[in-house]
């Protein structure tokens, strides 16, 4: 490929894109009744960029796209997948006949059938010189026969364009022609095209367009075609919006999209247009208004995605890419108040054997899970029940990666992030020493950069499990937990410790755990806890004899004094406490049921600074939680559960937004 064409494919990092500056938060706030709230719709089985998509008769059709590294084009990374997702049950996916590998393809609907228009195919393999060719094919898909049928091809191959259908006429705007590595340059189109699909012998005709841009979007709305965004041959990104009136063949300039228009999405919601670009802001506008109005934000920012109308009265956001990767999450934007939106629920195949008691760490959008127990019975402590497996989950792409194993098999590990999050610290836990199951006194740390485990430079670790570990002012603090003391004859004494340990740095640079001299009001384990505004807050748990502890004990790390806060409405064993936006969120754990047994607790409680007590949200976890872990993620509480209640071998993830409609905060 010649330099001119290479330059056309050179895209700056997102932060450097002209016009990609997101509006300040205060200018993104929707007016009352204007908000579109992001909810979970489904998981895309093949996250891609630059694909075709359309909704027809209760099905979401998706064709092609690219899933390799940006701007490194390889035939093996170009998708030829053509499938449809049920709008009624997004877990139902049907694989359809593929027309071949392609991207930058437009997919539209006419009389109940999908039609594909143009696109680009990659002819070169991995490591070879780029050889890219635009396509001219136009075909209709017959779902009843699962076959593609030819329509009049484009007059010239075209890609990076878009298309839409209005009153039976197929319109194509923007784009360029790529002719492979032998072409001297790319050809940018200065005209659009129209094809009357209802004609006896359809023929393409040229339509004047007042721009030369690609990476734009076209959408039929009312009696006009709207075209937004894109980039020109000089590399200038446009946020311009134009409307084409087929009755007069005239174009009208509309208000610019407020943020970057590169790889923008555009669709309809009732009488309004809805658009969203790479910065994640969602905006809406009546075609005759003089400005776009803020309507909210996507959870996962994306561009080169698709916005599509939801027949149930919302907007679907599908595919694309972002700084964090290609989102697998299919989001549904719904008008505020239309649904219970506080808890987003994902289910994923379990990547390993662990059912419970895993260590958990989070760095950005990467969730790290390590160790745990592979048995369904929570009291199975044979040598093979303890695990050393480690997996990471990219929360954007929803893809698992197997990582280097833990140096030892164990469960119930205390975890913390060290430094700026470069290390995931794993301390203590419970495992098998070859003769008996016992608590472990060891520390290891996973380095996110090298993807390896190290010693963490921490010595003299107390043998503890079900304790709580916090990092504060350069020191690690360990509160409570239990210690097992095997007598060598098969009996084990369990101590519910009240000792608080902390690390001190020695002259050799190592950190050693020492008795801090601080004692808990009562020895306890299986409690929820969090470091909140310089204080360690301990909630629930149990003491010796399996007696519940219903107090909330609070230790001030500066003054060294204990105090007591109001107790939550539900006492929990093994609950999780998360700091989220200046408040504490209590979730999960086992609670006593009406019949006296213990079961997973679905309620969510919140404690805010200055409040007299805890508030129970209207929102609840949608399934019974069993031995969960929870962490703060973005502006939500992320809950992980590997112990699937129905035994289907799935991992459950919940993202709780306590400020969302339906939460009841």
């Amino acid at each position: 490929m010649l330099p001119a064409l290479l330059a056309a494919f050179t895209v700056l990092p997102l932060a450097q894109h002209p016009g990609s500056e997101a509006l300040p938060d205060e200018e993104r706030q929707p007016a009352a009744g204007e908000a579109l709230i992001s909810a979970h719709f489904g998981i895309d089985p093949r996250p891609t960029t630059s694909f075709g998509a359309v909704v027809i008769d209760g099905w979401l059709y998706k064709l092609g796209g690219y899933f390799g590294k940006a701007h490194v084009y390889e035939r093996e990374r170009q998708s030829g997948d053509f499938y449809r997702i049920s709008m009624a049950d997004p877990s139902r996916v049907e694989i359809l006949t593929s027309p071949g590998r392609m991207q930058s393809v437009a997919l539209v609907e006419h009389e109940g059938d999908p039609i594909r228009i143009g696109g680009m195919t990659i002819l070169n393999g991995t490591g070879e010189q780029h050889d890219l060719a635009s396509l001219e094919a136009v075909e209709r898909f017959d779902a009843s026969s699962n076959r593609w049928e030819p329509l009049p091809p484009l007059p010239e191959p075209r890609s990076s364009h878009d298309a839409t259908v209005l009153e039976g006429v197929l319109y194509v705007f923007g784009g360029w022609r790529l002719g492979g590595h032998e072409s001297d340059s790319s050809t940018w189109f200065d005209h659009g095209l129209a094809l009357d699909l209802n004609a006896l012998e359809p023929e393409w005709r040229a339509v004047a367009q007042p721009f030369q841009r690609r990476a734009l979007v076209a959408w039929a709305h009312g009696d006009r075609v709207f075209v937004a965004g894109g980039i020109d041959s000089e590399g200038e990104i446009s946020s311009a919006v134009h409307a084409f009136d087929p009755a007069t063949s005239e174009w009208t300039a509309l208000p610019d999209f407020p943020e970057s228009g590169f790889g923008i999405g555009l669709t309809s919601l009732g009488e309004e247009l809805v658009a969203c670009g790479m910065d994640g802001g969602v905006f809406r506008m009546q075609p005759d208004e003089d400005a776009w109005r803020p309507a909210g934000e996507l959870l996962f920012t994306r561009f080169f995605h698709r916005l599509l109308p939801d027949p149930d009265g919302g907007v679907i956001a599908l595919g694309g890419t972002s700084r964090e990767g290609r989102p697998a999450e299919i989001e549904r934007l719904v008008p505020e108040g239309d649904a219970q939106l506080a808890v987003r629920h994902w289910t994923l195949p379990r990547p390993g054997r662990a059912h419970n008691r895993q260590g958990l760490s989070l760095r950005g959008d990467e969730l790290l899970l390590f160790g745990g127990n592979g048995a369904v019975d929570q009291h199975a402590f044979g040598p093979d029940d303890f695990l050393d497996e480690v997996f990471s989950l990219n929360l954007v792409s929803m893809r698992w990666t197997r990582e280097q194993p833990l140096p030892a098999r164990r469960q119930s590990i205390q975890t913390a992030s060290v430094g700026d999050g470069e290390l995931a610290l794993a301390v203590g836990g419970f495992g098998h020493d070859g003769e008996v199951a016992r608590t472990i006194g060891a520390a290891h740390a996973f380095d996110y950069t090298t993807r390896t485990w190290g010693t963490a430079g921490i010595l003299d670790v107390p043998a503890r499990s079900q304790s709580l570990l916090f990092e504060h002012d350069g020191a690690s603090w360990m509160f409570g937990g239990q210690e097992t003391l095997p007598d060598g004859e098969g009996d084990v004494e369990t101590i519910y410790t009240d000792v608080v340990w902390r690390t001190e740095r020695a002259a050799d640079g190592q950190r050693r755990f020492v008795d801090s001299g601080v004692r808990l009001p009562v020895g306890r384990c299986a409690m929820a806890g969090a470091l909140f505004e310089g204080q360690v807050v301990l909630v629930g748990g149990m003491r010796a004899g399996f007696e519940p502890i219903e107090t909330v004990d609070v230790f001030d790390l500066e003054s060294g004094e204990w105090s007591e806060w109001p107790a939550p409405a539900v006492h929990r064993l093994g609950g999780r406490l998360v700091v989220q936006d200046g408040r504490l969120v209590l979730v999960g754990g086992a609670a006593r049921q009406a019949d006296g047994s213990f079961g997973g607790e679905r309620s969510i409680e919140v404690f805010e600074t200055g409040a007299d007590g805890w508030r129970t949200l209207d929102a609840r976890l949608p399934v019974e939680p069993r031995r969960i872990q929870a962490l703060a993620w973005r502006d939500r509480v992320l809950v992980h559960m590997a112990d699937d209640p129905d035994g289907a071998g799935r991992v459950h993830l919940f993202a709780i937004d306590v400020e969302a409609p339906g939460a009841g905060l």
Side-chain angles (χ1 to χ4, degrees):
M1 183 178 295
L2 295 180
L5 189 52
L6 282 173
F9 271 93
T10 300
V11 178
L12 298 172
L14 298 187
Q16 300 179 26
H17 274 310
S20 68
E21 192 74 22
L23 291 180
D25 287 343
E26 60 271 16
E27 295 185 29
R28 273 193 173 187
Q29 299 306 311
E34 291 282 295
L36 296 175
I37 309 299
S38 171
H40 172 65
F41 175 79
I43 297 293
D44 188 350
R46 169 78 86 179
T48 57
T49 54
S50 302
F51 55 92
V54 66
V55 173
I56 305 173
D57 295 335
W59 292 95
L60 170 56
Y61 289 81
K62 182 168 183 257
L63 171 62
Y66 193 67
F67 54 89
K69 185 177 180 181
H71 318 304
V72 178
Y73 293 94
E74 301 168 335
R75 180 176 57 248
E76 296 82 0
R77 302 293 182 266
Q78 190 173 49
S79 174
D81 295 331
F82 181 47
Y83 53 86
R84 64 181 188 178
I85 301 171
S86 169
M87 300 291 289
D89 177 11
S91 65
R92 181 183 174 189
V93 179
E94 294 186 0
I95 307 301
L96 306 172
T97 298
S98 170
R101 300 176 188 265
M102 65 185 66
Q103 66 192 77
S104 300
V105 59
L107 196 65
V108 301
E109 181 267 342
H110 181 246
E111 296 184 346
D113 293 329
I115 296 175
R116 70 176 182 96
I117 305 101
M120 182 267 281
T121 188
I122 302 173
L123 303 176
N124 61 276
T126 301
E128 298 175 352
Q129 182 184 15
H130 283 174
D131 191 357
L132 315 177
S134 298
L135 301 173
E136 62 183 10
V138 179
E139 291 187 320
R140 181 194 305 271
F141 179 74
D142 184 345
S144 62
S145 63
N146 195 21
R147 294 177 58 186
W148 291 94
E149 300 172 348
L151 291 173
L154 295 169
E156 294 182 74
R158 188 181 293 226
S159 57
S160 200
H161 59 295
D162 204 16
T164 190
V165 174
L166 178 61
E167 296 180 350
V169 179
L170 172 60
Y171 292 95
V172 178
F173 291 113
W176 60 2
R177 175 178 180 172
L178 303 177
H181 67 275
E182 296 178 356
S183 176
D184 290 338
S185 64
S186 56
T187 301
W188 292 70
F189 289 105
D190 60 3
H191 64 280
L193 297 167
L195 180 72
D196 186 349
L197 296 169
N198 295 322
L200 292 177
E201 296 183 4
E203 293 185 358
W204 288 100
R205 59 181 173 84
V207 177
Q209 62 182 34
F211 50 78
Q212 283 183 280
R213 300 198 303 268
R214 68 175 189 87
L216 42 60
V217 62
W219 185 256
H221 178 84
D223 58 0
R224 291 184 289 176
V225 173
F226 295 82
V227 180
I231 188 172
D232 66 20
S233 59
E234 302 300 321
E236 291 294 323
I237 291 174
S238 174
S239 294
V241 181
H242 291 89
F244 174 71
D245 186 344
T248 64
S249 297
E250 293 181 351
W251 288 87
T252 304
L254 275 65
D256 286 359
F257 181 71
E259 299 181 331
S260 173
F262 188 53
I264 190 175
L266 178 70
T267 192
S268 300
L269 179 60
E271 297 181 354
E272 294 188 316
L273 293 167
V274 176
C276 178
M278 66 170 65
D279 300 302
V282 180
F283 297 84
R284 58 199 301 179
M285 183 181 72
Q286 293 275 0
D288 58 354
E289 288 185 313
D290 58 5
W292 291 85
R293 308 188 310 279
E297 297 181 359
L298 293 177
L299 175 60
F300 295 98
T301 59
R302 55 185 86 202
F303 68 129
F304 287 101
H305 58 296
R306 289 284 178 177
L307 293 185
L308 299 166
D310 180 352
D312 291 331
V315 170
I316 298 297
L318 169 70
T321 191
S322 69
R323 296 176 179 88
E324 294 80 25
R326 291 184 174 89
E329 167 79 342
I330 306 174
E331 299 185 57
R332 181 172 182 253
L333 293 164
V334 296
E336 185 173 356
D338 277 9
Q340 297 292 313
L341 306 169
V343 181
R344 191 181 297 248
H345 180 198
W346 296 284
T347 59
L348 304 169
R350 184 184 298 130
R353 290 180 52 207
H355 278 271
N356 57 79
R357 312 292 189 187
Q358 292 164 285
L360 200 70
S361 179
L362 182 65
R363 185 188 188 215
D365 291 312
E366 182 181 4
L367 185 67
L368 188 73
L369 298 103
F370 41 92
N373 194 297
V376 176
D377 181 359
Q378 65 173 321
H379 299 295
F381 301 136
D384 294 333
D385 293 324
F386 298 101
L387 303 174
D388 61 0
E389 62 185 27
V390 181
F391 293 92
S392 61
L393 174 66
N394 184 309
L395 293 168
V396 177
S397 66
M398 291 293 177
R399 293 295 190 264
W400 294 101
T401 301
R402 184 182 289 274
E403 305 286 354
Q404 185 185 71
L406 265 172
R409 295 171 174 262
R410 48 184 164 148
Q411 67 172 56
S412 305
I413 307 164
Q414 293 77 249
T415 65
S417 293
V418 179
D420 294 328
E422 297 93 347
L423 300 178
L425 186 61
V427 176
F430 194 65
H432 204 283
D433 65 4
E435 296 182 1
V436 66
R438 63 189 307 156
T439 48
I440 305 296
H444 298 91
F446 181 82
D447 188 316
Y448 281 99
T449 301
T450 65
R451 319 301 294 185
T452 59
W453 290 91
T455 62
I458 298 178
L459 307 177
D460 301 330
V461 180
R464 296 284 185 272
S465 68
Q466 298 190 50
S467 60
L468 294 173
L469 184 71
F470 304 103
E471 286 287 313
H472 177 71
D473 200 19
S476 298
W477 292 75
M478 190 185 299
F479 285 74
Q482 61 176 244
E483 179 182 5
T484 59
L485 300 175
D487 63 3
E489 298 180 0
D491 292 327
V492 176
E493 178 185 4
T494 300
I495 297 175
Y496 293 76
T497 180
D498 62 356
V499 178
V500 177
W501 297 79
R502 63 160 291 170
T503 56
E504 291 184 352
R505 194 169 295 279
D508 60 4
Q510 302 288 337
R511 290 201 297 164
R512 287 176 164 81
F513 271 102
V514 299
D515 186 337
S516 69
V518 178
R519 295 295 181 268
L520 301 178
V522 60
R524 72 206 294 175
C525 73
M527 62 281 195
L531 180 58
F532 183 61
E533 299 179 349
Q535 302 175 97
V536 174
V537 182
L538 307 178
V539 181
M542 63 183 179
R543 69 183 86 195
F546 299 98
E547 289 295 318
I549 300 174
E550 300 188 1
T551 58
V552 176
D553 295 316
V554 181
F555 180 72
D556 191 303
L557 289 165
E558 297 301 322
S559 69
E561 296 180 351
W562 287 94
S563 61
E564 189 172 318
W565 285 3
V570 177
H571 170 259
R572 307 164 191 247
L573 300 177
R576 292 293 180 260
L577 193 63
V578 177
V579 178
Q580 189 270 330
D581 195 22
R583 58 174 68 93
L584 290 169
V585 181
L586 179 63
V587 63
R592 194 176 297 278
Q593 308 298 304
D595 61 1
S597 64
F598 276 83
E601 178 59 38
R602 295 191 185 190
S603 69
I604 303 166
E605 298 187 59
V606 174
F607 185 91
E608 297 185 276
T609 302
D612 295 331
W614 297 77
R615 182 184 305 180
T616 301
L617 301 184
D618 295 335
R620 295 166 60 86
L621 294 180
V623 300
E624 179 185 350
R626 299 172 56 167
R627 294 181 283 279
I628 68 165
Q629 299 278 25
L631 293 165
W633 173 61
R634 300 195 178 197
D635 58 351
R636 289 162 167 77
V637 174
L638 182 70
V639 176
H640 168 268
M641 180 175 72
D643 195 0
D644 190 5
D646 61 13
R650 300 177 300 177
V651 168
H652 293 258
L653 293 174
F654 310 95
I656 304 168
D657 182 357
V658 301
E659 296 182 340
L665 182 62

